[in-house]
Amino acid sequence: MSLLSSKHLLGIKDISSDDIDLIFSTADNFKQILNRPIKKVPSLRDVTVTNVFFENSTRTKISFELAEKRLSADVVNFASNNSSVKKGETLIDTVNNILAMKVDMVVMRHPAPGACQFLSEHIDAAIINAGDGTHEHPTQALLDAYSIREKLGSLKGKKVVIVGDILHSRVALSNIYCLQKLGAKVRVCGPPTLIPKHMAALGVETSFNLRESLEWCDVANMLRIQLERQEDRYFPSLREYSLQYGLNLELLNSLKKEIVVMHPGPINRGVEISSDVADSDQAIILEQVENGVAIRMAVLYLLAGKGA
Ligand code: CP
């Protein structure tokens, strides 16, 4: 039985701040274990997890697989591009066939918003959303918030600006829910064409001015321009986007205070963030990736009902 308030992790919208606190305290324990010479624990020895990825991934897929293996789960990987999906099999049939082989948990990435919710209504296993289209990416938001907490001590009252392609970003929506549940103030910044109209209804400020937003914030989360999800042209060129909304070292060094710079990856170096900023001491991009394994171990462990 899950130790979170839900059987699944479909999004941050559906979980409580108590759930997030429990995930963070459990991740603290796993992070200690990950820094020991022997990084493996037997916690999920009797649990089988399948990673079902219908979209490309580097960080999330490797991070989940490592988390599962560090917990001693049995792991099966499924990539749609070399599967019977290509022969016309539906999502439910695909997953039910996997579950018939006695799988307990499914980690799924899918291009369709709501795909994980849909699956959870039709199958019995615990589902973890590893990114569903433009909707949510809950473990990314958890590892982002955890990384800010690690760097700044607490999220309460901290000001976070999420910059860039908010319209197509599942990372932005999950971050907004997560940061607000933990007491942070959230602003989005980008070209008007890439900011959805419903931001005010979420209690999020909007700004079109990067410098002013960077002066306001404690943390800037620089998002990737998601060209693969853009059917229309939302700005004249990548060069123009970069000139107005890219973070370079000159701009970062000209701010009145030192801010924390984040990026969920993959980075478009020279577009949303310059190489010297991505590699600077103010960027915690690789710390985010490192924390992702501990966060995903915590989520798997708690959903499997193993307790802290
Ligand atoms: N941040 C993130 O989701 O990266 P991947 O697409 O490589 O998993």
Side-chain angles (χ1 to χ4, degrees):
M1 270 302 118
S2 169
L3 294 170
L4 300 178
S5 58
S6 162
K7 175 180 172 183
H8 311 284
L9 180 63
L10 303 177
I12 301 292
K13 188 175 184 213
D14 308 320
I15 65 171
S16 65
S17 54
D18 286 346
D19 284 330
I20 299 173
D21 288 341
L22 181 57
I23 292 168
F24 284 6
S25 59
T26 308
D28 286 341
N29 293 333
F30 284 129
K31 190 157 179 187
Q32 280 184 21
I33 290 167
L34 289 172
N35 284 308
R36 291 182 194 158
I38 296 171
K39 298 171 175 55
K40 201 161 173 162
V41 287
S43 313
L44 296 196
R45 205 164 41 195
D46 53 349
V47 175
T48 304
V49 187
T50 184
N51 301 311
V52 181
F53 277 68
F54 289 88
E55 243 189 19
N56 294 342
S57 170
T58 299
R59 277 145 293 274
T60 312
K61 189 165 181 301
I62 291 174
S63 182
F64 266 113
E65 191 172 341
L66 266 178
E68 291 149 8
K69 289 182 171 169
R70 300 286 192 231
L71 291 166
S72 304
D74 291 319
V75 181
V76 185
N77 287 312
F78 167 93
S80 62
N81 55 4
N82 54 10
S83 74
S84 291
V85 169
K86 293 277 175 212
K87 301 174 194 164
E89 191 166 64
T90 66
L91 173 60
I92 291 180
D93 280 339
T94 297
V95 176
N96 269 330
N97 275 273
I98 295 170
L99 293 179
M101 299 178 230
K102 307 286 181 240
V103 167
D104 303 296
M105 303 175 91
V106 177
V107 175
M108 186 167 85
R109 171 167 288 191
H110 198 282
C116 296
Q117 172 75 42
F118 175 75
L119 200 62
S120 73
E121 290 164 6
H122 290 87
I123 67 166
D124 203 29
I127 312 291
I128 301 176
N129 181 359
D132 61 332
T134 55
H135 179 224
E136 282 224 42
H137 191 350
T139 56
Q140 180 69 46
L142 289 166
L143 73 88
D144 289 343
Y146 184 84
S147 302
I148 297 173
R149 168 187 174 266
E150 188 174 68
K151 188 81 183 168
L152 300 181
S154 157
L155 273 291
K156 206 155 190 60
K158 297 294 181 310
K159 295 177 185 163
V160 182
V161 63
I162 306 172
V163 181
D165 186 358
I166 313 298
L167 187 66
H168 300 97
S169 175
R170 53 195 174 209
V171 175
L173 188 59
S174 286
N175 260 268
I176 288 166
Y177 289 136
C178 192
L179 293 166
Q180 288 184 333
K181 282 176 200 248
L182 296 172
K185 295 188 184 116
V186 187
R187 175 188 282 209
V188 292
C189 175
T193 48
L194 288 176
I195 307 277
K197 302 222 175 344
H198 63 271
M199 284 295 112
L202 291 174
V204 173
E205 287 180 22
T206 294
S207 167
F208 307 126
N209 184 324
L210 179 61
R211 167 173 284 284
E212 190 268 323
S213 293
L214 294 174
E215 293 287 7
W216 169 85
C217 75
D218 302 298
V219 179
N221 195 350
M222 308 301 298
L223 300 185
R224 182 175 67 89
I225 291 292
Q226 305 206 13
L227 292 173
E228 76 277 19
R229 295 192 209 282
Q230 297 185 8
E231 282 160 18
D232 301 314
R233 285 174 70 99
Y234 291 86
F235 45 82
S237 68
L238 284 177
R239 186 175 142 71
E240 177 142 340
Y241 176 85
S242 180
L243 283 171
Q244 280 209 50
Y245 292 102
L247 179 55
N248 60 40
L249 201 57
E250 191 186 344
L251 176 54
L252 188 66
N253 286 341
S254 72
L255 301 176
K256 292 189 191 80
K257 69 171 187 247
E258 196 165 289
I259 62 166
V260 177
V261 178
M262 305 177 72
H263 195 303
I267 297 173
N268 290 315
R269 284 177 185 259
V271 179
E272 64 270 2
I273 189 169
S274 63
S275 275
D276 44 16
V277 172
D279 301 331
S280 74
D281 290 344
Q282 280 169 255
I284 58 165
I285 298 167
L286 292 180
E287 285 91 327
Q288 291 170 254
V289 176
E290 182 185 339
N291 287 333
V293 180
I295 283 289
R296 289 174 175 122
M297 285 174 81
V299 168
L300 289 156
Y301 183 72
L302 293 167
L303 284 180
K306 297 297 180 184

